[in-house]
Each structure stands twice: as C-alpha cells, then as structure tokens.
Amino acid sequence: MEVEDEKTQLFFKETLPLDHLNDSQLREVVKISQTAYRKRDHIMSLKSDFIYLIRKGAVQISGENQTLKELIGEHDWFGYKPECSLYEHRTVEDTLYYRIPKETFFNLCGEIDIIQQFFNDRRPSSITSSAASDSSEIHLLGNSVMQMSRAIDPYIVNDDEPIRSVAKLMNDKNVTAVMITTDGKLSGIVTDRAFCTKVVADQIDSSMPISRIMTKNPLTIEYFKSGVEAMLIMARQQVRHLPIVKKEKVVGIITAADLLRKQSHNVVFLISEIQRAENIKKLQQISKQIPLLLLRDVDANMDEHDIAYSVSSVGRAINQRLVKLAEDKFGEPPVSYAWVVAGSLARNEQILHSDQDNLMILSDEYDSKKHQKYFKSIAKFVNDGLNECGYIYCPGDVMAVNDRWRQPVKVWKDYFKEWIESPEPKALMLASIFFDIRCIYGDSSLFYSLRDVILEKTKKNSRFQAFMANNALMAKPPIGFFRNFILDASGERKKALNLKKRGVTPVIDYARTYALANGISSVNTVDRINALVEMKGLSKKTGADMIDAFKFINTVRIKHQAKQLKNKQEPDNYVDPQEIHSLDKKHLKDAFNVVEDGQSTMGVHFNATILS
C-alpha cells in the first residue's frame, strides 16, 4: 500500500462511523475514495452520487440569504442528506476532502448496523424519466402528515428511562426515533444517530437517563399540515424526524424517509437528479418537470415565497451542474472565477422558466491572451445549455458569453463606479439587473469583494439614490383614481392586469432602492424589506404592509399561471379581472394602494420628484 493510502486509511480509522470497520474493509473504502481540493471561499457543486468527508479545512453550509445552518470541519461528513441540495456549501478555509461513491460505499458497508444508523440509510433514489407517466403523484405531498406517516402510534418514554432500555426498545421495535416526555409533555426526541454521535463518541454510561442524550424542545408539526410543509421544515432546519402533534399531544412522527418514498416531483428529488445528470439532454428532460413542481406546490397551498424558492433552487442547480460539466469538458480553470446569476433567480423569486441573466467575475490574475478562450468556452457551453433547458437567451444579451459581462474584478468595479456616479437611463436599466446578483459557483471571495464596494458607494451617493427612486416610480400599480383597475394590452388577448410589470416589479424596485441606499446585502425582496425594518429604515407597519401586498399580488399571479398550465396554455403575467374572485379583487386593490402609497413616500424620501 502506498504511503498516502496508508495515511488515508489511518484517517478513516479515526473517523465516525468508519472506526467500526476492520482493516480489510477500510482498504476497500480507500480504494474507492477520490481526493479533491478547493481553495477558500469556493462555492461547491455537490453530486448526489457521492458522500463527502473533510480531511482538512472547513465548509460552511448556508440557507437562504446566507443564513448559517452549520459549520463543519475535519472528520465531518456532508452531502449524504437529500435536502442538503437546497443549501449553499462554501469552503471557509483551503479544504482537502474525499469524494466517496455513495452506491459503492453502501454496497461495501451498508449492512453494518452502525453505518446504517449513522447515515440513516440515505441511499440515492431516482425519479422517473417521464413526468407524464407519474402525473398522479403530483399531489401526494399535499396529503396531511398523518396520512403519510408510517408511525401514527409513536413510541414515547419518560425522560428518566435508562439509555440502555431505550436502545433495546428501538432495536426490538425497529424504529429510528422515540419521543421523550417530562411530566407528560413532549420535552425531547432521540434518534438512532444519537447513539453514535453521543453515546459511543462521548462514551456515555448507558445506565444514564435518556434525557442526557435527547434533543431538547424538538421541532413539531401539526397533524393537519401537509407533506410539503414537513419537507420544507426538514430541509431548512436539517432534521429528519418531526413529531406530529394534535392539541399539544404527540400523535405520530413523520420522517424524511416517509416523504421521500411517497413522491418523485419535489424539489429535493429534482435537484438530486440534476446533480447526477451527465449531459445537457438529461438536464433538459429534468427541466421539463418544473411546471409540474409549480402545480404541485400550488395545489398543496404552499406560501408564494416557498414556491418561488423551490423553483429557483432548481434553476440554480441547473446552472451549477452546467458549469461543472463545462469544467469537466474544458479542464480546470487557469485562474479563479465566480459564476454569478442575476435578476429573479438571484432574488430566489423565479416562478417558471425565464430568460437567463448571468455573468462571470474573473480573478485580477486573468490574462486575456492566455485565458480568454477557456472562459468564453465555459460561458458558451453554459449559456447554450441553459437555453436548451428552457432558460432562453437574454434578449438584452446579459450573459457571460458576452465579453463585456465576463471580466476581472477590477473591471467590474469600474463598471459599477460609472453606473453609480453617472446614473444615466441605460445605467439605470442595467442597475435593475446587476444590483440583484448572487454567486452560485466558484470563488465567492471575488463576488463579495465586488459587492462590498458596490454597497459602500450606493450608500453614500444620494444622487444615485434619487435616480434609482425616480426609475422605480416608472412602473405604477394598475389602479385608477376611482379605484378602478387599469388594464394593459396582452397581445391577441383582451386587456388584462399585468401583475409582473405593474404588480410585483414596483415592490421589487422599491425594496432594491431602499436596500442600496442603506447598504443592505440581501437581494430577496422580502428579506430586503425585513432588513430595512430591523435597522429602522422603514416602520414595522410599512414593512409588513408592503410584504403582505407583494405576497398577495404574487400569489394571484402564480395561481393564474398554474391555471394556465392545467389548461395547457402558455403561462403569462396577464390576469383577466373576471377570473378573480370578488373578495380577492378587493384585496388586490388594497394591495395596489399600499404599493402606490409606498412609492409616493419613496419619491419624497429620495427627492425623486426633482428629477421628473
């Protein structure tokens, strides 16, 4: 055995749960393991066919708006949970790690109890290649958690029960979790993994009370809630078991396995398939299921924010996979770079396929003579692939294949300096795109260094703020003086409400203007407004009213598109008032009035009227 293999075997032997393997088994795991390295601040693109183990360094796992979920380091595993695909994985130190093929690994070790317990039997599943053949499954996640649970008679023990007896109960009954009560009330939960990570790892005496290793005050879900809501809680909070409660009494438990065995058109499965796709044709097939994802989410009465985040997560995963496929084809990058998306995808507000907006930020070490061909090839491959997947070429040519939008950091800084200090009409048009950007792959430090400079400049430049506010006032809500709807022409159709241009866009522009003026880094519209309220840039009432208005307008828009999909029509943003319920019409008018009032206040606040 080579010296490096010996070092790897020794490292594995010191890592849970591989420390339970014998030398022969360890050698087999060493053989199938691949060593990889990423510099600090690299946003990773994980493949669902692999599990990952950190040898040296650290990885930060973040949710929406870069909220920290977990920071993991040496000897820690990641990538084995399907829901991890919803999160960003970024190296916060130079990181050396192992990629281990999941299927081969579990074939070698999966029958060992301790391995099963540690990974909770997270083997890869696949979705059907034909969405049409399984259309009956679209609504399954809309079922209540009680309908989907396989444990509606959960095992409950007192908090003073010995660890040993609880372990025996779980083994005899073949269950992965038990509920813990204190004075008859739910106080904790113990899963099979606790026996690996706490009892074994910390050498806790098995005669100690089970309360010693339980997770206190566990998240719960009401019995009438849907599987979609359970899935989102699990994905966002990174838990695999949710006690089901009815009137504060535990009546069951739902697990990630319950959800995953029930459906094939959810965001976790779609992203899992995207990560395993080996070519553009496969990605194209998966992307055709996005309308089914939207329909299922709408039918399950999901919040519009969660629907948009779900669809955006798929779009983001397709971008990431295409960049990785491009690297596989053209080789490792000669200098570091960041792949950045803009617009609705960056804001996590994408509804269905839209045109693509993207750019590349290159290291200042970039030499056009040496490196231009490589990066243009990467950009062309990804832009062409996105187009084939339904994200059509940007009509304004805001794509990385355009040489202008594929530049080193120093050039990007000059671009923004000009746009902020000389806010002409064209610059303001670009601002609506390039001030909503998010790095989704590559060296994120390039992106953050640019973002920090941008926010520093926008925060100080009152003239730019005034121009941004004035530009944001161009799109007015479609409500007249006498509270009548103002209808726009919609091609061959009769006049209707344009709920994108004159509904959600005014709120997006409003939030962007205030966020840039206050140096807020969030790009999601609701996150921006919440951040403004927190820093007292807006009153609580104003912020809440604007969010409610935005959500309601967007909900009407999404339901309209879902209805069109069901009727086999091309989805659009033009809603005929006749198809809106009378009560919803009233709420819609109220929402438009809130937006209109907000715009008026914004105009005064930023002195936008003097530019008119």
Side-chain angles (χ1 to χ4, degrees):
M1 181 181 287
E2 295 182 3
V3 174
E4 186 55 40
D5 287 347
E6 290 180 356
K7 290 181 179 179
T8 300
Q9 182 170 328
L10 179 61
F11 179 81
F12 285 172
K13 197 173 184 65
E14 297 172 347
T15 300
L16 282 172
L18 302 183
D19 56 338
H20 288 77
L21 303 181
N22 59 39
D23 288 343
S24 176
Q25 292 168 324
L26 283 170
R27 282 194 292 271
E28 290 301 313
V29 177
V30 170
K31 286 180 184 178
I32 65 173
S33 300
Q34 305 168 12
T35 306
Y37 172 79
R38 286 297 185 186
K39 289 184 178 180
R40 178 180 178 177
D41 286 319
H42 181 88
I43 295 180
M44 306 172 75
S45 176
L46 308 186
K47 285 193 69 176
S48 58
D49 289 343
F50 291 86
I51 53 176
Y52 299 79
L53 173 64
I54 299 176
R55 170 74 177 266
K56 186 178 181 181
V59 173
Q60 177 176 301
I61 303 173
S62 303
E64 223 178 332
N65 196 28
Q66 282 74 56
T67 53
L68 178 65
K69 295 293 181 184
E70 193 173 0
L71 183 64
I72 57 176
E74 192 172 312
H75 292 286
D76 284 336
W77 297 87
F78 63 102
Y80 60 91
K81 302 175 184 177
E83 60 265 30
C84 77
S85 58
L86 294 173
Y87 301 133
E88 174 188 287
H89 292 68
R90 179 169 65 88
T91 56
V92 291
E93 298 175 10
D94 291 353
T95 301
L96 183 69
Y97 61 95
Y98 297 107
R99 298 192 330 156
I100 304 175
K102 191 180 293 184
E103 185 174 357
T104 308
F105 175 77
F106 283 115
N107 285 338
L108 283 172
C109 311
E111 298 305 315
I112 301 171
D113 289 344
I114 200 74
I115 301 289
Q116 286 188 355
Q117 290 172 359
F118 188 89
F119 292 105
N120 199 28
D121 197 23
R122 291 291 196 168
R123 301 190 185 197
S125 301
S126 61
I127 58 176
T128 57
S129 58
S130 171
S133 64
D134 287 314
S135 59
S136 62
E137 293 189 353
I138 297 171
H139 308 291
L140 282 174
L141 274 185
N143 293 340
S144 74
V145 288
M146 285 296 287
Q147 291 174 299
M148 300 182 70
S149 171
R150 287 179 291 178
I152 56 174
D153 186 19
Y155 290 94
I156 300 173
V157 300
N158 292 326
D159 60 1
D160 58 356
E161 192 79 16
I163 293 172
R164 184 187 300 111
S165 63
V166 176
K168 187 176 186 307
L169 169 69
M170 293 174 68
N171 184 63
D172 292 346
K173 300 300 182 181
N174 192 29
V175 295
T176 59
V178 295
M179 307 297 103
I180 314 299
T181 57
T182 303
D183 297 329
K185 293 185 178 181
L186 179 68
S187 58
I189 183 172
V190 169
T191 67
D192 49 8
R193 191 162 184 246
F195 293 94
C196 297
T197 59
K198 296 181 180 179
V199 179
V200 176
D202 297 338
Q203 298 183 332
I204 295 176
D205 186 347
S206 62
S207 65
M208 297 290 288
I210 194 66
S211 58
R212 178 73 182 273
I213 66 167
M214 73 181 186
T215 298
K216 297 179 181 179
N217 302 317
L219 294 167
T220 61
I221 189 166
E222 294 283 347
Y223 71 98
F224 57 82
K225 296 286 188 177
S226 71
V228 170
E229 291 168 288
M231 181 189 72
L232 287 169
I233 293 172
M234 289 181 184
R236 287 177 172 175
Q237 303 299 326
Q238 275 203 295
V239 296
R240 294 167 292 171
H241 302 78
L242 279 179
I244 304 170
V245 295
K246 183 177 183 179
K247 295 182 179 178
E248 299 185 357
K249 181 182 178 182
V250 178
V251 293
I253 184 170
I254 187 162
T255 69
D258 291 335
L259 297 174
L260 296 179
R261 72 187 176 89
K262 277 283 189 181
Q263 34 62 47
S264 63
H265 297 301
N266 75 68
V267 62
V268 174
F269 270 88
L270 287 178
I271 294 175
S272 175
E273 285 296 291
I274 289 166
Q275 292 170 338
R276 298 196 303 195
E278 295 299 331
N279 52 57
I280 293 175
K281 184 177 180 181
K282 179 61 177 175
L283 288 173
Q284 186 181 38
Q285 292 172 351
I286 298 169
S287 72
K288 290 179 180 177
Q289 299 183 56
I290 293 176
L292 296 177
L293 175 67
L294 178 76
L295 280 174
R296 190 217 66 206
D297 290 351
V298 170
D299 287 342
N301 291 317
M302 277 179 63
D303 179 81
E304 61 81 32
H305 179 85
D306 290 333
I307 293 174
Y309 182 72
S310 178
V311 174
S312 297
S313 295
V314 175
R316 185 167 58 248
I318 290 175
N319 269 263
Q320 291 170 329
R321 188 66 190 133
L322 283 168
V323 177
K324 190 66 179 67
L325 289 174
E327 286 187 350
D328 291 344
K329 180 176 181 178
F330 299 108
E332 288 293 314
V335 297
S336 61
Y337 75 99
W339 184 266
V340 178
V341 294
S344 62
L345 183 56
R347 295 192 305 271
N348 283 324
E349 293 170 5
Q350 201 163 71
I351 304 302
L352 285 171
H353 292 101
S354 63
D355 60 297
Q356 54 178 294
D357 295 310
N358 46 66
L359 55 112
M360 290 175 81
I361 303 173
L362 311 174
S363 164
D364 283 336
E365 297 174 0
Y366 172 78
D367 184 328
S368 60
K369 292 181 180 178
K370 295 179 182 178
H371 307 143
Q372 183 179 24
K373 182 178 179 181
Y374 173 86
F375 286 110
K376 185 147 192 171
S377 297
I378 293 284
K380 187 175 188 307
F381 182 93
V382 178
N383 290 156
D384 289 348
L386 287 170
N387 185 65
E388 290 185 45
C389 290
Y391 301 92
I392 61 172
Y393 296 121
C394 174
D397 205 21
V398 180
M399 297 179 293
V401 73
N402 182 335
D403 293 345
R404 189 182 181 194
W405 310 133
R406 192 181 65 256
Q407 294 291 340
V409 177
K410 59 186 177 185
V411 175
W412 278 108
K413 288 179 179 178
D414 288 340
Y415 284 169
F416 279 97
K417 182 176 183 291
E418 180 182 349
W419 295 336
I420 295 167
E421 294 181 0
S422 304
E424 299 174 355
K426 187 175 182 181
L428 293 171
M429 182 273 290
L430 293 172
S432 66
I433 300 173
F434 287 110
F435 284 104
D436 294 353
I437 53 177
R438 186 186 298 268
C439 175
I440 63 169
Y441 184 89
D443 187 351
S444 62
S445 67
L446 302 174
F447 169 78
Y448 290 126
S449 67
L450 175 63
R451 187 195 67 182
D452 292 346
V453 169
I454 293 169
L455 293 176
E456 189 64 28
K457 289 183 179 296
T458 60
K459 189 176 178 180
K460 293 178 178 178
N461 196 314
S462 58
R463 184 168 179 267
F464 168 78
Q465 296 167 16
F467 272 94
M468 282 293 292
N470 187 66
N471 193 61
L473 294 173
M474 297 297 180
K476 295 286 188 181
I479 194 80
F481 185 77
F482 295 105
R483 285 177 56 87
N484 295 319
F485 288 131
I486 298 174
L487 307 181
D488 293 338
S490 56
E492 296 179 358
R493 296 183 55 205
K494 60 183 178 181
K495 289 189 174 184
L497 294 169
N498 187 335
L499 290 189
K500 180 180 180 181
K501 182 179 179 181
R502 306 189 68 178
V504 297
T505 296
V507 186
I508 292 169
D509 292 343
Y510 170 94
R512 181 191 302 114
T513 301
Y514 273 98
L516 292 175
N518 287 274
I520 291 171
S521 60
S522 303
V523 291
N524 176 267
T525 300
V526 171
D527 288 342
R528 279 171 163 167
I529 295 173
N530 281 327
L532 285 162
V533 171
E534 189 173 335
M535 67 183 299
K536 301 190 183 326
L538 290 176
S539 70
K540 286 185 179 180
K541 184 179 186 310
T542 298
D545 287 347
M546 288 297 288
I547 289 174
D548 287 345
F550 178 74
K551 282 177 165 289
F552 187 79
I553 296 167
N554 217 19
T555 297
V556 175
R557 174 188 171 212
I558 291 170
K559 287 182 177 180
H560 164 72
Q561 292 189 353
K563 181 180 178 181
Q564 289 179 309
L565 286 171
K566 288 179 180 179
N567 293 334
K568 313 253 183 243
Q569 298 173 333
E570 189 70 25
D572 60 31
N573 297 295
Y574 291 94
V575 180
D576 186 341
Q578 297 302 316
E579 71 179 70
I580 304 174
H581 188 276
S582 58
L583 185 59
D584 285 347
K585 283 182 186 177
K586 180 185 181 302
H587 290 326
L588 198 56
K589 289 177 179 179
D590 290 341
F592 290 149
N593 280 321
V594 167
V595 177
E596 190 172 55
D597 290 344
Q599 286 185 321
S600 298
T601 303
M602 177 180 64
V604 173
H605 180 87
F606 292 105
N607 293 318
T609 52
I610 64 172
L611 302 174
S612 301

